[in-house]
Amino acid sequence: MDLSEIKSKYPIVIVGGGLVGATLAIALKQIHLEVLVIEAFAVKSQQQPSFDDRTVALSQASLQFLHKLGLYDLVSDWHQPIKKIHVSDQGHYGFARIDAQDYGFEALGSVVENWRLGQVLLSRLQQLDIDYCCPAEVVAIEQNTEQTFLEVKQNGESKKIAAGLIMLADGARSPLRRQLHFDAEITDYQTSAIVCNIKTQQAHNDWAFERFTDQGPLALLPLNHNRISVVWSRKNKEADELLNLDKQVFAKKLEQTFGSRLGKIVQVGQRKKFPLIQLVSGNTIKGRCLLMGNSAQSLHPIAGQGLNLALRDISALQSFFNEKLSEKQVFDPGNYTALSEYQKRRVKDRQQTINITETLARLFSNQWAPLSISRNLMLKIMDVTPVLKETFASQAMGFKS
């Protein structure tokens, strides 16, 4: 949609049309709220970080939410279920296994490639006739107690748009978050994730593997067509070396780290490197602006909770707004008191997820011998203690107490 086609005022404007922004727009449209989505990158741009070749492990709770939004059937041809999880620590005997059937589910979650999920979301935006201005850039935001104003640029043209609420879903590097002076605590792990798809001699049979090593965690996630998504975290220098290795040498290195559970690696796809940081904004509200997704918190991928947490936030916001709409009063989506109430409701789940992710990132990427012994013992205990396994499974499926 061109700048000339969009209106001069909307109840809600979402800045960022990636996985989080697009899902957010669909969720709000479902409760009959009018939104405008502004996305900086062209639809098929290779620069769109939200729709790249990485994969996401969607929890069972996230899948249920996508089903509620009418999206599940659209991704069902592409997602691969995770029926079992095997967690191990390289060089030690400790391991833990989680089976979805033990908890009455067919799967703990599913894995889907970002770009395929992105295609589904963009198609749904069009079906729902949601205003989607792309490519366009928000260069400035002004706020007062009654409304906000965005300056939007596209192809050299500029337009001022008024909104009751602005939601920033434009990623961890959000320039608008900085412009509005949101505080953000950044942890640089000095590591990068090597991401690629592989094929092995033996079928994955819907198993996901998390292998902890002294150099960093290694995750192998099942994909359709018997492919496997690899997310291998290493120190930045080591990651550069792995990225530049010959495919056969890389496969050998990966086999040495993972082991022989799936036989030899017979095919290695294109490798990419992504720096790993944690970014957490202490306050997600400023005036009539709300941070969502990676703009609010960008997490280490070790627990696979980044997008899942964002989807729980969106689900909670949809329910909260629907509750306010039912009160039969004038609905103001940007009301600070109401937004503060929503933020308060999300504090426990958000903080718990951030804490768990940071603890795992530090605990399972540490060469200190006492910590190595402790985590190995922890895995052994968890594998034989039903209540601990159930807690782990509940976390993996995205169900919170």
Side-chain angles (χ1 to χ4, degrees), residues 18-19 41 46-58 78 110-119 170-173 191-197 221-224 227-233 270-277 294 298-301 306-307:
L19 298 180
F41 297 104
Q46 294 297 314
Q47 294 177 296
Q48 168 53 277
S50 200
F51 299 159
D52 58 25
D53 292 330
R54 284 175 287 183
T55 58
V56 58
L58 296 169
W78 307 111
S110 286
V111 183
V112 64
E113 290 156 300
N114 286 6
W115 69 271
R116 292 196 186 277
L117 182 55
Q119 285 183 334
D170 53 344
R173 296 180 175 85
T191 59
S192 296
I194 299 295
V195 176
C196 66
N197 294 339
L221 304 173
L223 284 172
N224 59 350
R227 297 172 301 147
I228 295 170
S229 173
V230 174
V231 183
W232 196 358
S233 301
Q270 182 182 9
R271 285 162 282 168
K272 291 186 178 180
K273 185 187 76 167
F274 300 92
L276 299 179
I277 65 165
N294 282 349
S298 179
L299 307 181
H300 193 289
L307 182 59

Side-chain angles (χ1 to χ4, degrees), residues 9 25 69 109 122 146 148 152 185 194 216 255 279 321 340 371 388 394:
K9 186 174 183 178
L69 296 181
L122 291 177
E146 302 298 324
T148 60
V152 185
E185 183 178 338
I194 299 295
E255 287 171 6
L279 180 148
F321 277 173
S340 297
L371 266 185
L388 291 178
S394 180

Side-chain angles (χ1 to χ4, degrees), residues 11-59:
I12 298 172
V13 173
I14 300 169
V15 181
L19 298 180
V20 172
T23 305
L24 181 57
I26 292 166
L28 296 180
K29 179 72 172 183
Q30 192 177 57
I31 57 173
H32 310 293
L33 289 175
E34 183 184 21
V35 300
L36 166 67
V37 180
I38 301 172
E39 169 55 42
F41 297 104
V43 171
K44 295 185 178 180
S45 170
Q46 294 297 314
Q47 294 177 296
Q48 168 53 277
S50 200
F51 299 159
D52 58 25
D53 292 330
R54 284 175 287 183
T55 58
V56 58
L58 296 169
S59 68

Side-chain angles (χ1 to χ4, degrees), residues 151-163:
E151 184 182 351
V152 185
K153 286 191 174 181
Q154 184 185 62
N155 299 326
E157 300 292 325
S158 181
K159 185 170 184 175
K160 199 169 189 178
I161 299 169

Side-chain angles (χ1 to χ4, degrees), residues 185-257:
E185 183 178 338
I186 300 174
T187 303
D188 187 347
Y189 292 106
Q190 300 293 315
T191 59
S192 296
I194 299 295
V195 176
C196 66
N197 294 339
I198 63 171
K199 280 192 173 183
T200 55
Q201 284 180 322
Q202 298 177 27
H204 55 61
N205 292 324
D206 303 323
W207 277 84
F209 298 90
E210 186 86 41
R211 179 81 155 157
F212 296 113
T213 77
D214 290 341
Q215 290 76 40
L218 167 66
L220 275 69
L221 304 173
L223 284 172
N224 59 350
H225 306 305
N226 205 40
R227 297 172 301 147
I228 295 170
S229 173
V230 174
V231 183
W232 196 358
S233 301
R234 298 292 292 266
K235 294 294 184 183
N236 289 329
K237 183 179 179 181
E238 297 168 356
D240 287 334
E241 293 171 356
L242 289 171
L243 192 68
N244 295 315
L245 288 177
D246 173 86
K247 284 186 177 182
Q248 290 183 332
V249 178
F250 175 82
K252 286 290 184 184
K253 292 275 188 184
L254 185 54
E255 287 171 6
Q256 290 168 6
T257 302

